[in-house]
Amino acid sequence: MAEPPEVGSEEGTPAGDSYPRQILEYMQGFFVSKTVFTACELGVFDVLHGAQRPLSAEQLSRQLEASVDGTERLLAACSGLQLLHTHRQEDGTVLYSNTEQASTYLTRSSPLSLCQSIQYYSRTIYLCWHHLTDAVREGRNQYEKAFGVSSQDLFEALYRSDEEMVKFMQLMNSVWNICGRDVVTAFDLSPFKVIYDLGGCSGALAKHCTSAYPECTVTIFDLPKVVQTSREHFVTAAEQRISFHEGDFFKDHLPEADLYILARILHDWTDERCIELLTRVYHACKPGGAVLVVEALLHEDGSGPLTVQFYSLNMLVQTEGRERTAAQYAALLAAAGFTDVQERRTGKIYDAVLGRKEA
C-alpha cells in the first residue's frame, strides 16, 4: 500500500508552517496505543526482562511465537517510542532491551505493572471507542453495539462475564497501586477510625488506607460477586483490618461509619443519581464524619486537563456519567447536606474532594 503524499511535497502545495504535522499525529494517535497494547499482549517486555540480556528480533520472535519480520517492525516502533533500548552489533544485528520505564510498568511481574490496565483498554475500552460517533449523536453508552449486551443496568454490562469483571478489577487494582497512596493522604484522614469504601472493588485503596492510618479499619462495600472475587484474588486473610460487606449502595442499607470513600464512583452516574447516593451516605454518616470523593478533576472553566477531557468522553461511551470540576462535585455534596467541602490536587491522575457532616 502506497504511503499518502506528504503535504507540501508537490509543487504548488502549501509548505513550511502550513504542513499539518499536528493533525497527522492526531490521525495516527491510535498507532501508539495499539503498538503498546500488542507488545504487552505478546509479552515483549516480559521476555526481555526474563532474559536479563539484550535479544535480537529473531531470538524474541522464537519466544513470542511470532514472525521475524513482524517482530522486527514491532520492536523498531517500541524503540521509537522510547520503550526499548537498541544495541547495534558490529555485524549489523540490532539487540533490544527494556528501558527502566518499560521494566517498571510494562512487565507482568512488576508490582507497579500496568499490563492488566493495558489489556482492559485494548479489549474493552478500545472496542467501545469504535462507536464514539454514535455515543456523541445519541448521548448514551455503547455497550450494546460494542458487545451485544444491554446497558440498562450499567454494572451488569460492565461485569457481563466473570472474566470481564476480573479484568475490570485488575484495572482498578493497577491504577490504585500507582495513585492510591496520594489520594488517601491528600487529606489527613487519621481522625476517621471506621471507614467504608463504597464500590471498593479489589481492595487496593483499602490497603493504602490501612497502611497510611494504622488505627483505622476499612470495610469494602460492593456487589456480592465482586466481594467474592476480591476475597479470592486480591485481599488475603492477613489483611485483618480490611473486611467486606455485600450490597448495592443504591438499594441496600449503608452501615454507620466515620468516613465513606467514593473513588471513581460518582463519575459513572448522572447528577441526579449522584445526589441520590450522596444523600444515602449523608444519612448513614456519623455526625462529624465525612465523605472522600476521588475523581479526575476538570479545570473550573472546563479547558482541561486534556486527559480528563478524554476521560469524560470515555464516560460517555461506557457509563451514564461524566467527569466534573471540583465546584460541580462540591455542589453535589452540598445538595446532599455535606458542608465545608475542600479539594486537594495530587499532581497525578486523581484528586480528592472532602465533604463533612456537621457534628
Side-chain angles (χ1 to χ4, degrees), residues 261-320:
I261 298 175
L262 291 167
R264 292 185 65 180
I265 299 296
L266 297 184
H267 74 165
D268 289 335
W269 305 101
T270 64
D271 287 356
E272 293 75 18
R273 291 285 269 168
C274 287
I275 292 171
E276 177 188 349
L277 176 56
L278 288 169
T279 300
R280 299 189 90 240
V281 170
Y282 180 82
H283 289 312
C285 187
K286 290 181 182 178
V291 60
L292 180 72
V293 173
V294 178
E295 296 287 1
L297 297 179
L298 287 163
H299 298 326
E300 289 304 326
D301 63 358
S303 63
L306 179 59
T307 298
V308 186
Q309 292 168 327
F310 285 145
Y311 285 177
S312 205
L313 277 175
N314 191 53
M315 291 300 99
L316 177 63
V317 297
Q318 278 206 288
T319 72
E320 299 175 12

Side-chain angles (χ1 to χ4, degrees), residues 173-283:
N173 206 58
S174 62
V175 167
W176 295 135
N177 283 343
I178 292 172
C179 304
R181 187 168 183 85
D182 297 271
V183 296
V184 301
T185 58
F187 294 93
D188 178 13
L189 304 180
S190 60
F192 306 112
K193 309 304 182 189
V194 179
I195 300 174
Y196 265 71
D197 186 1
L198 303 183
C201 200
S202 70
L205 212 55
K207 293 176 188 178
H208 283 295
C209 279
T210 55
S211 173
Y213 305 106
E215 295 183 6
C216 81
T217 61
V218 182
T219 301
I220 297 166
F221 187 108
D222 217 317
L223 297 171
K225 60 185 178 181
V226 177
V227 167
Q228 181 181 350
T229 304
S230 188
R231 286 182 190 272
E232 290 176 1
H233 297 284
F234 297 99
V235 179
T236 68
E239 277 130 357
Q240 296 181 1
R241 289 188 291 122
I242 298 176
S243 58
F244 293 92
H245 189 116
E246 296 181 359
D248 180 330
F249 48 54
F250 277 113
K251 299 175 182 177
D252 297 320
H253 171 71
L254 298 180
E256 186 179 70
D258 300 313
L259 177 73
Y260 298 86
I261 298 175
L262 291 167
R264 292 185 65 180
I265 299 296
L266 297 184
H267 74 165
D268 289 335
W269 305 101
T270 64
D271 287 356
E272 293 75 18
R273 291 285 269 168
C274 287
I275 292 171
E276 177 188 349
L277 176 56
L278 288 169
T279 300
R280 299 189 90 240
V281 170
Y282 180 82
H283 289 312

Side-chain angles (χ1 to χ4, degrees), residues 35 57 70-82 84 86 96:
T35 297
T71 302
E72 284 178 341
R73 300 185 199 203
L74 181 63
L75 296 176
C78 288
S79 175
L81 292 172
Q82 300 181 2
L84 295 177
T86 57
Y96 297 89

Side-chain angles (χ1 to χ4, degrees), residues 54-179:
L55 298 177
S56 68
E58 185 174 357
Q59 290 170 319
L60 268 164
S61 70
R62 286 198 295 269
Q63 295 198 51
L64 300 175
E65 297 182 347
S67 69
V68 176
D69 180 39
T71 302
E72 284 178 341
R73 300 185 199 203
L74 181 63
L75 296 176
C78 288
S79 175
L81 292 172
Q82 300 181 2
L83 299 174
L84 295 177
H85 293 304
T86 57
H87 313 268
R88 190 168 295 276
Q89 307 301 291
E90 290 184 3
D91 64 358
T93 303
V94 179
L95 304 182
Y96 297 89
S97 62
N98 287 339
T99 62
E100 183 179 351
Q101 184 169 237
S103 289
T104 302
Y105 298 109
L106 300 179
T107 58
R108 289 178 175 84
S109 60
S110 169
L112 296 178
S113 175
L114 288 171
C115 288
Q116 300 295 347
S117 293
I118 287 167
Q119 183 182 34
Y120 189 79
Y121 268 73
S122 178
R123 299 182 183 180
T124 299
I125 295 176
Y126 191 81
L127 297 181
C128 287
W129 275 65
H130 282 313
H131 305 284
L132 178 60
T133 303
D134 292 331
V136 171
R137 284 197 181 115
E138 299 166 10
R140 63 189 181 90
N141 73 59
Q142 296 298 305
Y143 269 97
E144 289 193 41
K145 289 192 179 80
F147 303 109
V149 297
S150 172
S151 58
Q152 192 165 13
D153 184 320
L154 175 59
F155 277 85
E156 282 299 315
L158 277 170
Y159 298 154
R160 59 193 175 277
S161 69
D162 289 345
E163 179 188 8
E164 194 67 20
M165 181 175 64
V166 171
K167 280 184 357 189
F168 180 80
M169 293 174 73
Q170 288 169 332
L171 163 72
M172 299 299 292
N173 206 58
S174 62
V175 167
W176 295 135
N177 283 343
I178 292 172
C179 304

